[in-house]
Amino acid sequence: MKLGARIFKTGVAISMALYLANLLDLPSPVFAGVSAIFAIQPSIYRSYLTLLDQIYGNLIGAAIAIIFVLTLGSNYLTIGIAAILAIVVMLKLKLENTVPLTLVTIIIIMDSHSTNFLTFASLRISTVMLGIISAFIVNLIFLPPKYETRLFTSIHSVSEEVIRWIRVSIRHASDHASVKEDIDKLTEKLIKVDQWYSFYKEERSYTKKQQYAKARKLVLYRQMIATSKKSLEVLKRLNRFENELMELPEHFHMMIQERLESLASYHEQLYMKYVGKLRPEHSEGSGTDAVMRRNEVMTIFVKEINLAHEENEGEFSVYHLMHVLSAILDYEEQLEHLDLLIIAYLNYHSEEVDTGLENAI
């Protein structure tokens, strides 16, 4: 099991909350530790939003608990009704993420047998708030991970795996079941990539120059993700229509194989270009030659369809082949768009590229 930053921060936040609660001589310091668990977040921005939400939730839960105890008393039934009311209120206010801590606050306040109830309630509220604030302080002290590095590394890793399988699949050397299993794993990895993108998007920029560069990077990384998804779509269709592709005429099959090999190399070079290992003007996979090769594939495709009809060879898997070709064309268009975005970014912000990204390739 890998010890991640969030696991470490959770432990530190719990220890800090318990220590401060004991230092301030608050009753039941364990509740400070419990509330700290709910407030730990992977980024400073999310921690700030969580801090506000948890404070609102804690105050709402405390208010409901105090009103119920002073009017209806405290027993199993009233605690349950108070919890239901709190959930409804939190959902109405769109604070559903804070519901668990709100319910904890209600239970620890209403489970009171003290004669001076209001003093007891205020101390319990303070204890919970201390845990929330402790978690926020820990998030500020311990710097969050560099989400850009993790984002780029995860995109590049997924793309490399997809490209490797495309090269194997187009040569019919892959095991159908193994490819299908890895496609499912790659789909899950792309979901994780989207999460890293969200974390990176939430990171704050504090100068106009940084904000402008960040906006361009967000567009660039979004296109990288879109291109990776298109490459995975190509792999899915190669795997799905494997038998139909094997029945293609040899020269046509070789042309598709060469085109995919060219696009795969183009994709790899774009990452190298972004991190500064290739010149910005280097574009082996785009331009006039790429358009000519694309038109050549489509021309031969049309000819093969006509020949199939003339020779009464059924549908020559035309329907299935169109699925494969359309995915390849989409993939190519996404690569060309990504190339343009990388060139534009490097022309204006070449100094903004993190040198640590080179280690990912």
Side-chain angles (χ1 to χ4, degrees):
M1 181 178 177
K2 186 178 180 181
L3 181 63
R6 187 170 181 180
I7 297 174
F8 180 72
K9 288 195 297 183
T10 301
V12 174
I14 292 171
S15 298
M16 181 178 178
L18 293 173
Y19 172 76
L20 291 176
N22 279 293
L23 187 65
L24 297 173
D25 199 24
L26 293 173
S28 303
V30 67
F31 295 127
V34 171
S35 61
I37 297 172
F38 291 103
I40 283 292
Q41 293 295 319
S43 68
I44 293 177
Y45 179 67
R46 287 199 176 190
S47 180
Y48 169 72
L49 295 179
T50 300
L51 172 69
L52 297 179
D53 289 346
Q54 298 285 24
I55 290 175
Y56 294 148
N58 188 40
L59 293 176
I60 291 171
I64 291 174
I66 292 171
I67 291 172
F68 266 73
V69 171
L70 294 178
T71 56
L72 301 176
S74 176
N75 54 60
Y76 301 131
L77 180 61
T78 55
I79 292 175
I81 296 173
I84 293 172
L85 177 60
I87 293 172
V88 172
V89 172
M90 301 305 287
L91 293 178
K92 285 289 185 182
L93 296 176
K94 296 183 179 179
L95 296 172
E96 56 272 3
N97 292 332
T98 65
V99 168
L101 184 59
T102 302
L103 297 181
V104 169
T105 302
I106 289 174
I107 293 171
I108 65 176
I109 290 178
M110 294 187 72
D111 185 31
S112 168
H113 304 287
S114 174
T115 55
N116 195 348
F117 170 72
L118 291 178
T119 302
F120 173 85
S122 62
L123 288 174
R124 287 289 174 91
I125 295 170
S126 300
T127 304
V128 173
M129 295 287 283
L130 179 63
I132 297 172
I133 295 171
S134 297
F136 180 68
I137 292 172
V138 169
N139 272 320
L140 289 178
I141 294 175
F142 291 91
L143 295 177
K146 298 190 70 174
Y147 288 118
E148 181 184 1
T149 303
R150 291 196 176 187
L151 173 61
F152 179 77
T153 301
S154 57
I155 294 173
H156 180 258
S157 175
V158 170
S159 298
E160 284 293 292
E161 286 189 57
V162 173
I163 288 170
R164 184 166 60 249
W165 273 121
I166 286 176
R167 284 173 167 151
V168 173
S169 297
I170 195 60
R171 291 173 172 80
H172 307 297
S174 60
D175 176 67
H176 184 85
S178 297
V179 177
K180 194 173 188 313
E181 182 180 344
D182 263 25
I183 286 174
D184 293 335
K185 292 179 180 177
L186 289 167
T187 302
E188 293 176 2
K189 288 183 179 180
L190 280 173
I191 295 174
K192 186 65 176 179
V193 167
D194 288 332
Q195 292 176 350
W196 289 128
Y197 179 82
S198 297
F199 290 154
Y200 175 62
K201 186 177 181 181
E202 290 171 356
E203 286 184 340
R204 302 294 93 183
S205 299
Y206 301 102
T207 66
K208 286 290 184 181
K209 184 179 180 181
Q210 288 177 336
Q211 291 172 1
Y212 187 57
K214 176 72 174 292
R216 280 182 172 270
K217 276 188 178 182
L218 286 172
V219 174
L220 184 57
Y221 283 123
R222 187 169 63 239
Q223 182 59 31
M224 284 186 184
I225 295 171
T227 305
S228 296
K229 289 180 178 179
K230 285 298 180 182
S231 67
L232 182 59
E233 183 61 31
V234 171
L235 177 59
K236 287 179 180 178
R237 297 192 185 186
L238 289 177
N239 182 251
R240 181 179 176 184
F241 304 118
E242 181 180 10
N243 294 330
E244 287 79 4
L245 290 171
M246 290 179 67
E247 296 173 359
L248 292 176
E250 182 64 23
H251 63 285
F252 193 33
H253 183 274
M254 288 300 299
M255 177 170 287
I256 293 177
Q257 180 178 320
E258 290 173 4
R259 192 72 195 121
L260 279 173
E261 179 61 42
S262 175
L263 293 178
S265 298
Y266 185 23
H267 199 168
E268 291 171 330
Q269 290 172 15
L270 289 181
Y271 291 120
M272 297 178 68
K273 180 187 293 188
Y274 176 63
V275 300
K277 291 187 175 181
L278 287 180
R279 297 188 305 273
E281 64 272 14
H282 180 82
S283 290
E284 186 176 295
S286 62
T288 307
D289 291 342
V291 174
M292 290 178 62
R293 286 193 294 269
R294 186 189 309 159
N295 291 337
E296 183 181 7
V297 171
M298 294 307 299
T299 301
I300 293 179
F301 175 54
V302 172
K303 287 181 179 179
E304 293 294 344
I305 293 175
N306 292 332
L307 284 173
H309 284 300
E310 290 175 5
E311 298 173 5
N312 295 319
E313 293 184 3
E315 294 192 10
F316 173 58
S317 302
V318 171
Y319 176 76
H320 299 134
L321 187 58
M322 285 184 65
H323 279 285
V324 176
L325 289 177
S326 65
I328 293 173
L329 292 175
D330 284 343
Y331 179 35
E332 185 174 359
E333 289 178 358
Q334 295 295 335
L335 286 170
E336 291 175 354
H337 185 47
L338 177 59
D339 195 4
L340 291 174
L341 290 176
I342 291 174
I343 292 172
Y345 181 81
L346 292 177
N347 286 338
Y348 290 97
H349 305 284
S350 58
E351 73 284 354
E352 297 289 338
V353 178
D354 191 340
T355 54
L357 297 181
E358 292 185 25
N359 297 326
I361 299 181

